[in-house]
């Protein structure tokens, strides 16, 4: 006997490392925010940081221009080396960003970590170059280095708002050599500038954290709204909207793989409505939550479960033939048949009726397969509680929906009409016509029966 849980917690996201790509513990810490966030949000924040091409191009142009001016002004070997290093880092960083954008556009998980390594390596080299400018004693170079570090820090605080720890690290990697050089400079009062640089860096860090909070709240709100639109708020299962999207994607994949089998279950709980009326909606909601948990535990990890109505569910079984689907259906029926323990109400026994349709035998489109599975499910309900009917075994896929429904008893037809939102308009018209013919042919049926 299973107890109904108080609250259903949806499954966790994919692993953190899989979401961001190969990385070291240091990189993992650098791209994390002050508070743990879902892996999907962390990756979205990271991509927001690493895929802003125009900002990177402007930064590469500015830093290369600075190194070129220093090389032209001093003619020193270290300045020439600095310029060559800047050109190399600029090409490497741009290439890494372009590759990441191409992979993401193609739906492949790109390497979002390589740009981070390149960025930190560049910051170290550029900071050393600015430190050498401060040591040179040339006022022009000292002033230019300070201006460029200040401007770059402002750009970092904006571009890296999704990864504040990484952004703060870049700022201090840039500013520390310059700060140390100014403190040790023989020029009068230069040590004051050197002491102020770390304080200024702290202010930029606070700006970064504020920008991060704004961006994080935006992404979390988008995620919440997307979940509300695509998931059932009670059970956490994907809803009707997401069902169609995933069904169509699986169907395209099965078709492209040479008509690989794909089975869909339509499920309807037996006896739930009367129990809901008897014990109240709160108890009914608890039952639905527990049903969702039992459905998940009865199928494979690659199978998908959806709640599409009050007590109606859909299960997608990729790579499953009709014969292979029967044991899965029996496992679901057995799981739902186990008594539910309701706090303050005792035990509750319900069942589930399941209809199945399999691609490509029972249909080639989402609508065809859902319609065939739906008809099979109603045939299962006519046979009694806790039954499974496969459309391929009964030939329901070849029959028009109207005659099949016209043979149902009137209470069953009423139930079919109540769920008419699942029927296409043309089939609903056929159903209404068949019902009208039935009543006209048997006028002895009392009104309201």
């Amino acid at each position: 006997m299973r107890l109904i849980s108080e609250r259903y917690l949806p499954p966790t996201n994919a692993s953190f490392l899989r979401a961001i790509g190969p990385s070291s513990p240091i990189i993992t810490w650098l791209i994390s925010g002050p508070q743990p966030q879902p892996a999907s949000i962390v990756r979205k924040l990271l991509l927001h940081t690493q895929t802003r091409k125009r900002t990177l191009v402007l930064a590469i142009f500015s830093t290369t221009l600075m190194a070129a001016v220093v090389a032209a002004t001093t003619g020193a070997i270290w300045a020439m080396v600095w310029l060559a290093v800047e050109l190399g880092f600029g090409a490497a960083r741009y290439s890494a960003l372009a590759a990441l954008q191409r992979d993401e556009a193609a739906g492949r998980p790109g390497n979002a970590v390589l740009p981070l390594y390149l960025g930190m390596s560049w910051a170290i080299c550029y900071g050393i170059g600015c430190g050498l400018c401060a040591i040179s004693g040339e006022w022009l170079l000292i002033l230019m280095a300070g201006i460029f570090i200040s401007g770059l820090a402002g750009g970092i605080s904006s571009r890296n708002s999704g990864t504040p720890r990484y952004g703060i690290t870049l700022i201090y990697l840039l500013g520390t050599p310059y700060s140390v050089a100014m403190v040790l400079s023989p020029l009068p009062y230069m040590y004051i500038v050197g002491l102020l640089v770390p304080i200024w860096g702290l202010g930029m860090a606070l700006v970064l954290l504020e920008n991060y909070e704004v961006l994080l709240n935006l992404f979390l709100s988008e995620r919440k709204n997307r979940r509300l639109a695509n998931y059932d708020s009670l059970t956490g299962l994907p809803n009707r909207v997401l069902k169609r999207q995933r069904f169509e994607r699986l169907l395209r994949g099965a078709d492209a793989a040479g008509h690989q089998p794909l089975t869909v279950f339509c499920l309807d709980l037996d006896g739930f409505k009367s129990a809901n009326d008897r014990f109240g909606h709160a108890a009914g909601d608890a039952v639905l939550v527990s049903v969702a948990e039992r459905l998940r535990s009865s199928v494979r990890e690659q199978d998908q479960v959806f709640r599409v109505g009050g007590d109606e569910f859909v299960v997608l079984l990729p790579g499953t033939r009709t014969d292979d689907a029967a044991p899965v259906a029996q496992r679901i029926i057995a799981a739902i048949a186990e008594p539910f323990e309701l706090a303050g109400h005792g035990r509750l026994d319900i069942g589930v009726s399941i209809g199945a349709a399999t691609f490509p035998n029972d249909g080639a489109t989402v609508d065809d397969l859902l319609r065939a599975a739906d008809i099979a499910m109603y045939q299962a309900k006519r046979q009694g509680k806790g039954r499974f009917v496969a459309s391929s075994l009964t030939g329901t896929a070849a029959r028009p929906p109207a005659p099949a429904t016209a043979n149902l008893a009137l209470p069953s037809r009423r139930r079919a009409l109540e769920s008419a939102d699942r029927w296409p308009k043309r089939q609903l018209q056929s159903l209404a016509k068949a019902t009208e013919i039935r009543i006209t042919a048997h006028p002895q049926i009392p009104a309201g029966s």
Side-chain angles (χ1 to χ4, degrees):
M1 187 181 303
R2 306 187 186 188
L3 296 179
I4 296 177
S5 60
E6 290 290 329
R7 179 188 175 106
Y8 164 71
L9 296 177
T12 58
N13 288 301
S15 67
F16 182 80
L17 294 179
R18 185 170 58 193
I20 65 173
S23 65
S24 67
I26 295 178
I27 290 294
T28 301
W29 182 83
L30 285 175
I31 66 175
S32 301
Q35 299 295 330
Q37 299 297 335
S40 59
I41 293 295
V42 173
R43 180 167 181 83
K44 191 170 183 179
L45 289 168
L46 179 59
L47 292 176
H48 179 270
T49 295
Q50 298 301 319
T51 55
R52 300 171 71 174
K53 183 180 291 185
R54 282 182 291 186
T55 306
L56 178 63
V57 170
L58 179 60
I60 292 173
F61 174 77
S62 301
T63 57
T64 305
L65 179 62
M66 165 71 181
V69 170
V70 173
T73 302
T74 64
I77 295 178
W78 66 267
M80 299 296 182
V81 173
W82 185 21
L83 175 59
V85 170
E86 274 300 308
L87 291 171
F89 270 121
R93 295 175 71 194
Y94 183 85
S95 299
L97 184 146
L100 176 60
Q101 287 185 325
R102 285 195 303 270
D103 288 338
E104 293 296 325
R108 300 187 301 268
N111 189 347
V113 175
L114 178 59
L116 301 178
Y117 285 115
L118 291 173
M120 288 191 294
S121 301
W122 161 82
I124 292 172
C125 293
Y126 196 82
I128 292 174
C130 290
L132 293 174
C133 289
I135 292 175
S136 69
E138 296 288 338
W139 282 102
L140 175 62
L141 301 186
I142 294 173
L143 182 61
M144 286 182 60
I147 291 174
F148 271 79
I149 289 177
S150 178
L152 288 171
I156 289 172
S157 66
S158 173
R159 184 174 188 265
N160 294 274
S161 55
T163 51
R165 290 175 178 171
Y166 176 72
I168 293 170
T169 301
L170 289 183
I171 290 174
Y172 276 96
L173 287 176
L174 281 172
T176 299
Y178 182 79
S179 177
V180 172
M182 295 298 282
V183 169
L184 300 178
S185 174
L187 298 176
Y189 305 112
M190 288 296 101
Y191 72 92
I192 297 177
V193 177
L195 294 176
L196 289 176
V197 169
I199 300 175
W200 164 81
L202 179 60
M204 299 304 298
L206 294 177
V207 172
L208 251 174
L209 291 173
E210 290 180 355
N211 291 340
Y212 169 76
E213 290 295 329
V214 172
L215 188 61
L216 176 63
N217 290 333
L218 175 63
F219 285 169
L220 289 176
S221 297
E222 290 179 351
R223 182 173 182 265
K224 180 180 179 181
N225 292 336
R226 188 164 53 249
R227 183 164 188 84
L228 289 174
N230 294 318
Y231 289 85
D232 175 50
S233 59
L234 176 64
T235 63
L237 292 175
N239 62 15
R240 185 188 300 269
V241 175
L242 201 56
K243 174 206 70 178
R244 187 168 193 91
Q245 295 175 3
R246 293 185 177 178
F247 199 172
E248 288 176 345
R249 184 165 63 246
L250 287 174
L251 202 57
R252 287 194 298 268
D255 189 34
H259 294 290
Q260 289 293 315
L262 170 63
T263 295
V264 55
F265 284 170
C266 284
L267 299 82
D268 191 273
L269 300 182
D270 301 321
F272 173 78
K273 186 178 184 302
S274 60
N276 193 53
D277 294 340
R278 178 183 175 187
F279 297 115
H281 293 293
D285 288 347
V287 170
L288 289 173
V289 171
S290 187
V291 166
E293 294 172 349
R294 296 186 186 188
L295 288 176
R296 275 200 199 86
S297 63
S298 300
V299 297
R300 304 167 301 178
E301 183 178 355
Q302 64 265 37
D303 300 331
Q304 302 187 37
V305 182
F306 307 85
R307 184 187 178 203
V308 297
D311 60 348
E312 299 171 354
F313 299 84
V314 166
V315 178
L316 298 179
L317 307 170
T320 304
R321 303 181 185 276
T322 304
D323 294 340
D324 300 326
V328 180
Q330 295 304 324
R331 188 162 59 245
I332 292 175
I333 291 172
I336 303 301
E338 293 187 28
F340 294 82
E341 193 73 26
L342 297 176
H345 299 291
R347 292 170 35 149
L348 171 66
D349 294 312
I350 62 173
V352 62
S353 297
I354 304 176
T358 302
F359 170 84
N361 296 336
D362 302 322
T365 67
V366 169
D367 290 332
D368 290 342
L369 291 168
L370 286 175
R371 183 161 51 247
D374 201 47
I375 295 173
M377 184 267 291
Y378 279 109
Q379 289 186 344
K381 294 190 76 69
R382 283 200 302 164
Q383 296 178 13
K385 183 178 179 180
R387 299 300 181 93
F388 166 69
V389 172
S391 178
S392 298
L393 301 179
T394 61
T396 56
R399 302 181 192 171
T405 310
N407 291 330
L408 298 177
L410 286 177
S412 299
R413 284 208 309 277
R414 189 177 299 114
R415 182 180 180 110
L417 288 170
E418 289 173 353
S419 61
D421 63 314
R422 294 190 301 177
W423 295 80
K425 182 176 180 181
R426 180 178 300 176
Q427 303 302 335
L428 184 60
Q429 292 172 346
S430 300
L431 174 62
K433 182 177 180 181
T435 305
E436 179 183 359
I437 294 173
R438 174 72 169 177
I439 295 173
T440 304
H442 299 276
Q444 71 272 19
I445 297 178
S449 61

